[in-house]
Amino acid sequence: MDYFKNLLQLLKTERDEDQRQYQKLTETTSIAERRAAGLTWYPIAIRGNEMSRGDYLTVEVERTTHQDIPHQLRFGMPAVLFSNHDPRNDRVEGTVTHQSGNRLKITLRTDELPDWSRDGKLGVEALFDDNSYDEMESALKTANTLGDKSENRLIQILTGEKVATFHTETFMPTFPKLNPSQVAAVGKILSANELAIVHGPPGTGKTTTLVQAIKALHKQDSKKILVVAPSNTAVDLLSEKLHDEGLNVLRVGNPARVSERLMALTLDQKVSEHPAMKEAKKLKKQANEFRNMAHKYKRNFGKAERDQRKALFDEAHRIMKDVANTEQYVMDDLIAKAQVITATLVGANHYTVRNLTYHTAVIDEAGQALEPACWIPILKAQKLVLAGDHCQLPPTIKSPESARNGLATTLLEKCVALQPEAVTLLNEQYRMHEHIMGYSSQVFYESKVKAHESVARHSLFDGDTSLAFVDTAGCGFEEKLEGTSSTNPEEAALLMKHLTQLVTNLSTRYIRADFPTIAVISPYKQQISILKELLLQTAELQEYRDKISINTIDSFQGQERDIVYISLTRSNTEGDIGFLSDIRRMNVAMTRARKKLIVVGDSATLASLPFYSDFITYSENLNAYQSAWEWM
């Protein structure tokens, strides 16, 4: 089918660009720069090692400094253990098999630690992740072959060749905790033969709805359900909530948030607690002892020692085969009993569950999922539920060319357009004051989203307003370019002044423990750096620093705060607003606030785009327009 051939081509362009950027970063930068970019942990210390499947060696390492730097080392990624004495030659490749906090386990393609590992200066670096691209490519090729066969209705519906169908005689349980639009969404999911879509704008309880729907689906036909999302964080949230509803959940892969409750749902943990593993653990310990004894013969070699060493290694290998057989038996048993399997999109093809098929697959956060990755779980099911919001952030794409040619358009967007019958809009939100939500509802959701009465008029204190647009036009605040990122130091200073005044006012109304949470966000990384510095320098804010987070819009997707400040940053005579024109990103920014939203920007620059000029008008109508001169 041309549909998949086109996607394969876009994916190839993306892979090439991603690889090019990775190579450029690794070949031309120092270890400190790669560490700052999140590719490398250095220095590290080895905390332990043990034999694992296939006679490979699993090593646990800990990063001993720079522990606050965010990093990209995730479960399942290819990585390399290296020595900085001779990084070109002293290196051994492997796969990250576990990661939590500042520790990770890497399974190396060798059965013993190299000699250089004892000389310090060790590090771990992420390699280019070919595996994810291979999985996506393979899924698209399979879909292409299956799509030509007329019995695969789901593929034909997703590519727009056929129309989704629903059966009317579905038994509908009652859901006392859900509102009418949420109940309608569950009804649509239960009655769908092939496809149902839950469109969940910010704060509308999409996760709550999905959890109830999955529970009802399981009651309906008690078949295994696959639940996936592009991010580990989203998978974690669903796994916990499904477990709380009493379902037997198996979390495949490695949670991002390592809590006791989540770890208990993982395959590793369930395997290690299984009664059949007691004996296997003893055997494993024995195998490791034999292996350690064999290593003692390494230094002084004669024929007798060589034979002895070989015998010990053979014995260790034989024992590990028995352990592997027991582990396999235990895994099969656990997977058979699971009612819901949860994983990331690519994780749905993890070797432990690769051959499973399901009646229904559920993809959450589908608005942020790259389409080729969605086909990995789709091919395992007859029925698909997509949940997300295509009016919020799209997936991250490295190649501008593949983004332009259609890779940026998600499967969710295509299906909403092709199969409108399958879509239910959740239209009641539980987060924002109606004035904060009103503009987003008007622009993105045809004014259909309303605020639930519990939040519609909630405020920081009686008589406070929930929205302000602070206009810096005419103040002479000129933006500056730092590298590729815009900054506006004067706008940042004004914002801090406004925030200080607000915090001082609130400190007379709230005790420290109940003080409102605050986010300061901007689309520009360099502006964030300036704001963070100003926060450290503002004496009046120090007491409340733990209540204030400052970061880019993207890092706040899915989060909320009581008060949100947005620094729009751009201010120039040409009316050039750069990627402020990405209004879906602004939709995310403007819908994080519960009780108060303050947008700071230059109306003269912003007015070139109707989205902003209409927002300014919206503010004026609510009496929420302020001039920056009031704070000068």
Side-chain angles (χ1 to χ4, degrees), residues 12-73:
K12 184 182 181 317
T13 311
E14 174 68 4
R15 180 187 204 143
D16 293 346
E17 176 57 24
D18 196 359
Q19 200 153 17
R20 192 191 65 76
Q21 289 183 15
Y22 173 85
Q23 256 168 330
K24 190 177 162 195
L25 190 62
T26 48
E27 286 168 7
T28 60
T29 53
S30 68
I31 202 161
E33 289 168 302
R34 296 201 299 279
R35 179 171 60 200
L39 282 181
T40 307
W41 280 12
Y42 181 84
I44 56 162
I46 291 180
R47 294 293 181 230
N49 67 75
E50 58 172 21
M51 288 176 82
S52 68
R53 297 178 74 86
D55 295 329
Y56 287 149
L57 183 71
T58 297
V59 180
E60 184 173 17
V61 306
E62 181 174 17
R63 60 171 169 175
T64 45
T65 65
H66 301 82
Q67 293 181 337
D68 51 343
I69 300 178
H71 63 91
Q72 298 170 28
L73 287 151

Side-chain angles (χ1 to χ4, degrees), residues 19-237:
Q19 200 153 17
R20 192 191 65 76
Q21 289 183 15
Y22 173 85
Q23 256 168 330
K24 190 177 162 195
L25 190 62
T26 48
E27 286 168 7
T28 60
T29 53
S30 68
I31 202 161
E33 289 168 302
R34 296 201 299 279
R35 179 171 60 200
L39 282 181
T40 307
W41 280 12
Y42 181 84
I44 56 162
I46 291 180
R47 294 293 181 230
N49 67 75
E50 58 172 21
M51 288 176 82
S52 68
R53 297 178 74 86
D55 295 329
Y56 287 149
L57 183 71
T58 297
V59 180
E60 184 173 17
V61 306
E62 181 174 17
R63 60 171 169 175
T64 45
T65 65
H66 301 82
Q67 293 181 337
D68 51 343
I69 300 178
H71 63 91
Q72 298 170 28
L73 287 151
R74 301 275 176 273
F75 168 81
M77 280 188 82
V80 59
L81 175 73
F82 67 90
S83 151
N84 208 27
H85 289 297
D86 183 2
R88 285 204 175 279
N89 298 313
D90 293 349
R91 48 189 290 133
V92 53
E93 294 188 2
T95 306
V96 177
T97 41
H98 194 268
Q99 188 272 308
S100 72
N102 288 302
R103 288 199 173 206
L104 64 78
K105 288 183 180 174
I106 177 171
T107 298
L108 302 171
R109 296 198 190 101
T110 171
D111 58 7
E112 52 184 332
L113 271 173
D115 289 342
W116 50 257
S117 67
R118 296 175 187 79
D119 305 333
K121 283 201 169 185
L122 297 181
V124 169
E125 184 157 280
L127 293 171
F128 181 72
D129 190 2
D130 270 316
N131 175 45
S132 296
Y133 282 106
D134 290 344
E135 294 282 13
M136 289 190 267
E137 193 179 301
S138 151
L140 291 177
K141 286 178 177 164
T142 308
N144 188 29
T145 320
L146 292 174
D148 293 332
K149 298 182 180 151
S150 54
E151 66 269 23
N152 203 308
R153 274 191 68 85
L154 180 57
I155 294 181
Q156 294 173 320
I157 282 162
L158 295 175
T159 54
E161 290 180 27
K162 290 197 170 146
V163 177
T165 61
F166 299 85
H167 48 265
T168 41
E169 67 296 344
T170 307
F171 165 72
M172 193 56 185
T174 51
F175 299 97
K177 292 181 188 161
L178 301 185
N179 68 38
S181 70
Q182 292 171 328
V183 171
V186 176
K188 183 74 82 176
I189 289 169
L190 291 177
S191 66
N193 291 319
E194 311 89 5
L195 175 69
I197 299 170
V198 181
H199 183 188
T204 52
K206 171 174 65 73
T207 307
T208 307
T209 309
L210 271 187
V211 167
Q212 292 305 319
I214 291 163
K215 198 176 162 188
L217 275 170
H218 183 260
K219 274 216 176 90
Q220 196 180 39
D221 66 7
S222 69
K223 292 195 177 92
K224 258 193 204 18
I225 298 166
L226 174 64
V227 179
V228 290
S231 75
N232 273 305
T233 318
V235 179
D236 290 352
L237 179 67

